[in-house]
Amino acid sequence: MNEKVEGQSGSSTLEVIKWLVVAALVAAAVFGNSYFSDVSPLYRALGVVAVALVAAFVALQTEQGRSFNQLRKDSMVELRKVVWPTRQETLQTTLIVLVFVVIVALLLFVLDWALSGLISTLIG
């Protein structure tokens, strides 16, 4: 049991180091973007994207990163199983929502108008 705990301790130290590297890369991208403010925004954006890709690569090497990547893959599989509505179904549903919104807006308008009149009458 001691070996298992020691193995996890070494592994968790490595994980922490990886996350510190990710944080340092993100901080370097933010600092570099402001430090090189006189450079063209295109080059700064490309630099930030390049550093972000390296940071993402390092983050994906961690246990949480691998879990996230597996979740992303599983989500893509589930997304392929979705039955998307047809154009006609989408238009009909949108029309129903718009009609309902107009009805509720009219009801609120009438209620506001009636209560405003009632309050005006009471106040004088």
Side-chain angles (χ1 to χ4, degrees):
M1 185 166 167
N2 266 346
E3 293 174 20
K4 189 174 185 181
V5 171
E6 288 174 9
Q8 288 177 351
S9 173
S11 173
S12 66
T13 303
L14 186 60
E15 294 285 313
V16 169
I17 291 171
K18 289 177 185 177
W19 282 114
L20 288 174
V21 168
V22 169
L25 286 169
V26 169
V30 170
F31 175 75
N33 189 35
S34 65
Y35 183 76
F36 294 108
S37 60
D38 55 335
V39 178
S40 169
L42 174 65
Y43 296 133
R44 286 188 296 151
L46 289 175
V48 168
V49 167
V51 173
L53 288 174
V54 172
F57 176 76
V58 173
L60 286 174
Q61 303 309 308
T62 65
E63 188 62 37
Q64 294 92 351
R66 285 190 286 276
S67 296
F68 174 79
N69 197 32
Q70 187 60 44
L71 175 67
R72 183 192 61 80
K73 288 178 184 177
D74 293 343
S75 298
M76 294 304 291
V77 168
E78 290 298 321
L79 192 59
R80 285 188 217 112
K81 296 178 184 178
V82 172
V83 178
W84 297 100
T86 64
R87 180 176 173 85
Q88 181 181 2
E89 291 170 339
T90 304
L91 289 174
Q92 287 174 347
T93 306
T94 303
L95 184 62
I96 290 170
V97 169
L98 288 175
V99 167
F100 185 75
V101 166
V102 168
I103 290 171
V104 169
L106 288 173
L107 287 173
L108 289 174
F109 171 74
V110 169
L111 185 63
D112 181 53
W113 176 72
L115 289 175
S116 177
L118 181 66
I119 296 296
S120 295
T121 303
L122 290 175
I123 292 177

